[in-house]
Amino acid sequence: MRTHRPGELRSGDDGTRVTVCGWVAHRRDHGGVVFLDLRDATGLLQVVVDPGVAGLEDVRRVRSEWVLRVSGVVRPRPAGTVNDSMPTGEIELGADSLEVLSESEPPPFPLDERADIDEVLRLRHRYLDLRREPMQRNLRVRAAVNAAVRAAMDAQGFCEIETPMLIASTPEGARDFVVPSRLHPGSFYALPQSPQLFKQLLMVGGFDRYYQIARCLRDEDLRADRQFEFMQLDLEMSFADQADVLAATSVAVLAAAEAVRPGDAPDAVAQITWREAMDRFGSDKPDLRFGMELIDLGEVFAATEFRAFQGAACVKGLCVSGHGESSRNVVDGLVERAKQLGAAGLVWMRVRDVDGVATLESPVVKFLSEPERLGIIDTLGAKVGDLVLLASGSWATTVSVLGQLRLDLGRPPVSEGGLHFVWVVDFPLFEGLGEGGRPSPAHHPFTMPHPDDFDLLDSDPLAVRSQAYDLVLNGWELGSGSVRIHRREVQQRIFALLGIDEDDQQRKFGFLLDAFRFGPPPHAGFAFGIDRLVAILAGEDNIREVIAFPKTQSGTDPLTNAPTPIDPTQLRELGLAMRATPKS
RNA sequence: GGUCCUGUGGUGCAGUUUGGAGUGCACGCCGCCCUGUCAAGGCGGAGGCCGCGGGUUCAAAUCCCGUCAGGACCGCCA
């Protein structure tokens, strides 16, 4: 059907007779000569229909997005008509035959890359949106990431194994999508939130290095970085510790980054403890593309007379470079934001030049001693023209409030600042107290405690660190993993702490615990989100831009109209009855 | 469940603050002209439930209430 692809022809093809196929991107009809820009996935090629060439009269009818098959000879463009802005700009195709393969109505929106089109319209006609260069680019980035990840895992001796989509519902975690069973009316399958339990069974089954690019489904509200269904590189390793998992996973993500952003990818993934990430960046997913770290001012205010900071567990500051002349309106907005985030208040100070000396100016500065004022400037490294923000209170609130303000004020756009991968390690085992005063697991109940912290399990459970870890890229959580508990007595101890009794254990995880009676190897694993990784690598701040057919924020698909009501006979067959008339 | 933002010819916007005729810009579409353009150009034309419903008013795209759709976020996402 074709001998070449339009976007691949170059000046070296001069004189070659070719046949190309594609869509009409632009038509420039000069009355005599007619120019067509023919587009396919490889790019654009200018087709010239000279006047008087027999059999090409059809070109007058041709419109945007018609599909053509054009034959002719590649020729250099005449002097002065070369187009430097396109890769095929030195040549053109002098058509001598033209076949209309398919006609098109005018598209409902322009397919130029420039146009910023309403997203519902794009999704309703996604097949047209996919023709546009950004979507072509993003989905090809995605394919390259998948290929690089697979190659990296295969090269490291991992075995790709699929796990089922129709599984038993497990009561923990996110809300399940469920599928009614026809053969067992009243019973339901769940769609997997992740292959978590199955991959641990694979370890018991002797596949010591498993991976899968797995589809995961969670029925929770959607966000810019969350869809109902998403893809994860899921992996698990036997006879391996945390360092082994981090190393194997690093190879895969760095290979993916190198494949699509050659030269931008670092040689290694940085590492930081959870505690340090919270202390310095106020987040368990620190964005390391910029500094603006949180600085401890506990010593400066150790003996302060300033009431707001007296007796505070934590006083920290943030120096916002160059924001010193922010209007009162803007600054008040920051105070309001801090309060919404849970802070009791926010102290702000402008750094101004007074007789050549950097001096703090603020409504509260009169309550501070001279050493305190100098200490703030000195410790924060504040300069004339900066804005200083101080918060105090509990450690957790103080760091998280300042951490959010840091992002609000300093975070670069998604496509800038390079690629800063970081492992966040030593997460706490439990995240606060849940119902009944029991600690609740920060990761999941099979997470191995940190080897140095077993003694704290009974005395101070909330201080126990775990062998759980997150992978973070530019402030996005890509994924998490852990070393799993494989010893029965440790698992029983954790279940006891969590308040999960024997019945609960059997009901929720019975088959896994059963399997663990038969020689479970020590194992550890990880999973990271392909959609998020691809989005960042493609410079998109929304994963819908890297998914061929995504859903809207309310979980609908404007193209297929999913979800739809189903036929009453279908309901009957499944043993289901509608309780109330659904809306619309 | 909640907060905030958006909705105006096919597309992207302006108009809404301060109510006064569907007013404007760019693109697209249709017709005519045009032999070197490249987002071609020139002339002409068609195309509107101002998301939907209600209210206030002599008068509503504009003000108020409700509702629908979309987006960002909080909750949620072990």
Side-chain angles (χ1 to χ4, degrees), chain A residues 456-568:
Chain A
L456 297 171
L457 274 174
D458 295 314
S459 56
D460 188 5
L462 294 187
V464 176
R465 291 168 298 168
S466 68
Q467 297 185 62
Y469 31 86
D470 277 8
L471 177 60
V472 174
L473 170 57
N474 294 0
W476 287 40
E477 181 194 322
L478 286 188
S480 55
S482 62
V483 176
R484 328 296 186 187
I485 298 170
H486 70 284
R487 296 180 66 90
R488 189 172 185 80
E489 68 275 15
V490 176
Q491 189 66 67
Q492 293 305 327
R493 220 173 143 190
I494 297 298
F495 279 149
L497 272 170
L498 296 172
I500 303 177
D501 63 26
E502 291 268 353
D503 286 351
D504 270 355
Q505 294 169 26
Q506 203 54 39
R507 187 166 49 83
K508 293 177 177 174
F509 321 109
F511 60 91
L512 184 67
L513 297 176
D514 286 349
F516 277 15
R517 286 163 30 205
F518 300 98
H523 59 288
F526 195 76
F528 69 79
I530 299 281
D531 310 83
R532 290 181 184 179
L533 175 60
V534 172
I536 294 173
L537 293 177
E540 298 285 358
D541 56 15
N542 188 317
I543 65 171
R544 293 189 298 272
E545 299 297 335
V546 299
I547 297 173
F549 300 102
K551 303 222 170 7
T552 66
Q553 196 165 65
S554 62
T556 64
D557 175 5
L559 175 60
T560 64
N561 283 324
T564 56
I566 63 169
D567 195 274

